Amino acid sequence: MGANGNGKRNGWTYNKNALKDNIENNKYVRNVRQKLLEEKLKKKLQK
């Protein structure tokens, strides 16, 4: 992972805000996936 022109590294969350956003997004994505799984289960159980 070399540094590119703007001082950030490729493939690496460099500053605190980017890291925080990553964590928040992961939580959000996890919640959405959880809800989708629950809906799938409900549909299966209803059949």
Side-chain angles (χ1 to χ4, degrees), residues 3-36:
N4 56 8
N6 60 3
K8 293 186 178 182
R9 295 181 188 176
N10 295 328
W12 175 252
T13 48
Y14 196 72
N15 56 17
K16 269 187 185 175
N17 288 342
L19 198 63
K20 187 172 181 249
D21 287 346
N22 245 1
I23 293 167
E24 299 269 322
N25 286 339
N26 286 340
K27 281 183 186 173
Y28 175 75
V29 167
R30 237 182 277 140
N31 286 339
V32 169
R33 284 187 181 149
Q34 190 69 32
K35 285 176 185 171
L36 286 173

Side-chain angles (χ1 to χ4, degrees), residues 34-47:
Q34 190 69 32
K35 285 176 185 171
L36 286 173
L37 279 174
E38 286 172 7
E39 282 182 26
K40 273 187 182 177
L41 277 174
K42 282 181 187 174
K43 283 181 183 176
K44 278 188 178 178
L45 291 174
Q46 283 175 353
K47 286 183 180 177

